[in-house]
Amino acid sequence: MTQQTVENLEARVKELEAQVQDYQKQLIQAQKMSSVGALASSITHEFNNILTTVINYAKLGLRHKEEERRDKAFTKILSAGQRAAKITTGMLSYARGNESRQEPVDLVVLVKSVIALVEKDLSMNRVNLHTHFDAQPEVTLNPNQIQQVLVNLIVNARQAMPGGGRLDLAVRVNAESNLAEVIVRDSGSGIPPEQLHHIFEQFYTTKEADENGQGGTGLGLSLAKEVMEAHNGRIRVESAIGKGTAFTLKFPLSAAAIEAA
C-alpha cells in the first residue's frame, strides 16, 4: 500500500467521522424536539389558561373604578404574565442548539426550571409531583444538556404511568463521595430485568411509539449516559416490576461547594 493510498484512507476516515458526529448531533436535536412535542399540548393548554386569566382580569380592571379592585386585577395580570414568561424562557432555553460550555449552576434552580416546563403535562396526565430538596448544591455543568436529560427522564416516567401515579424529584448531597444527586422516581410499571441491562444502548427502547410518534426513538437514555459521562458523572437505574423505576444522576460537586461543605 503506497503512502498516497494511506493518506487517502486517513482522509476518508476523518471525513466519515465528521459525518457520524454531524448525524449524531442531528439525532440528539431530533430527540429533543420529540420531547418538546410530548409537552406541546400541555404548554398550549397552559398558555390558554394564562390568556383567559389576563383577559378576564383586564375586563375586571376596566369595569371597576375602585383602586382596590384595579390593584387586584393588575396583580393577577402581572402574575399570569410572569408565569408565561417563565414557561417561554424555559422552553427557549431547552430548545436552543447544543452548546459545550459548562458553568457553575445551583442544581435546585435547574430542577425547578425543568418543573416549570413539565408540571402542567404531569397534571393533565394525573401524575402527582412531589419534590424533595435536601440540599442546594452547586455543580459545574451544561444547563441545556442536563435540562434535556431531566425532561426526557420525566416524560419517560409519565409514559410509564398511563393511568396516573406519583413522580418524586429529589436533590441531595452525598458528602462522603463529594457528589450531588438528582433522583427521578416514578410509581409506574417498572422495567423487566432482562431489559434493564440494555436501556442505555442507542436505539434500544422498551416501548412502542404512540399515535403521535412519541416515546419510541431509543435515543433518550443513551444520550443521558453520554451527557453524564461528559460531566464526569454517572447515571444509575433501579427498577421493580409493578413498583416503579428510579434514575439517579450523580455529579461531582464544584470546588466551591466542596469548600463550603
Side-chain angles (χ1 to χ4, degrees), residues 57-95:
Y57 277 100
K59 289 179 178 178
L60 180 68
L62 289 171
R63 249 193 337 261
H64 296 281
K65 306 303 180 183
E66 298 93 337
E67 187 173 335
E68 182 179 348
R69 290 203 175 189
R70 285 198 166 189
D71 285 347
K72 178 183 178 181
F74 285 137
T75 300
K76 292 290 186 181
I77 291 170
L78 176 60
S79 177
Q82 289 172 334
R83 169 68 178 157
K86 186 178 181 182
I87 295 172
T88 302
T89 300
M91 184 56 72
L92 289 174
S93 172
Y94 178 69

Side-chain angles (χ1 to χ4, degrees), residues 63-243:
R63 249 193 337 261
H64 296 281
K65 306 303 180 183
E66 298 93 337
E67 187 173 335
E68 182 179 348
R69 290 203 175 189
R70 285 198 166 189
D71 285 347
K72 178 183 178 181
F74 285 137
T75 300
K76 292 290 186 181
I77 291 170
L78 176 60
S79 177
Q82 289 172 334
R83 169 68 178 157
K86 186 178 181 182
I87 295 172
T88 302
T89 300
M91 184 56 72
L92 289 174
S93 172
Y94 178 69
R96 70 174 183 252
N98 293 313
E99 302 92 351
S100 58
R101 182 170 59 90
Q102 296 187 11
E103 60 192 56
V105 172
D106 183 318
L107 208 49
V108 169
V109 172
L110 180 70
V111 170
K112 286 182 176 179
S113 74
V114 172
I115 290 173
L117 296 180
V118 302
E119 60 184 345
K120 188 62 179 182
D121 181 68
L122 295 175
S123 176
M124 288 178 64
N125 286 279
R126 302 181 301 282
V127 175
N128 295 315
L129 176 64
H130 298 263
T131 58
H132 314 270
F133 301 141
D134 298 332
Q136 202 157 353
E138 182 183 86
V139 176
T140 300
L141 50 75
N142 180 306
N144 184 247
Q145 290 179 354
I146 301 305
Q147 272 188 326
Q148 182 172 358
V149 169
L150 287 171
V151 168
N152 184 71
L153 291 177
I154 291 169
V155 169
N156 283 353
R158 187 261 288 166
Q159 291 172 341
M161 299 181 285
R166 173 175 173 137
L167 179 70
D168 288 89
L169 293 180
V171 176
R172 65 190 185 194
V173 169
N174 186 328
E176 292 183 3
S177 57
N178 287 328
L179 292 175
E181 299 178 347
V182 180
I183 300 94
V184 180
R185 184 185 303 274
D186 67 64
S187 63
S189 54
I191 303 171
E194 65 273 14
Q195 295 181 348
L196 205 58
H197 300 294
H198 300 287
I199 61 173
F200 294 110
E201 296 174 6
Q202 199 168 59
F203 300 113
Y204 184 87
T205 179
T206 61
K207 54 186 180 293
E208 298 293 330
D210 61 20
E211 65 273 12
N212 298 316
Q214 305 297 333
T217 64
L219 290 172
L221 292 178
S222 63
L223 169 65
K225 185 172 182 290
E226 289 181 16
V227 168
M228 292 305 298
E229 290 175 348
H231 285 78
N232 296 316
R234 302 190 300 275
I235 179 170
R236 294 290 182 263
V237 60
E238 298 175 21
S239 190
I241 297 298
K243 295 184 178 180

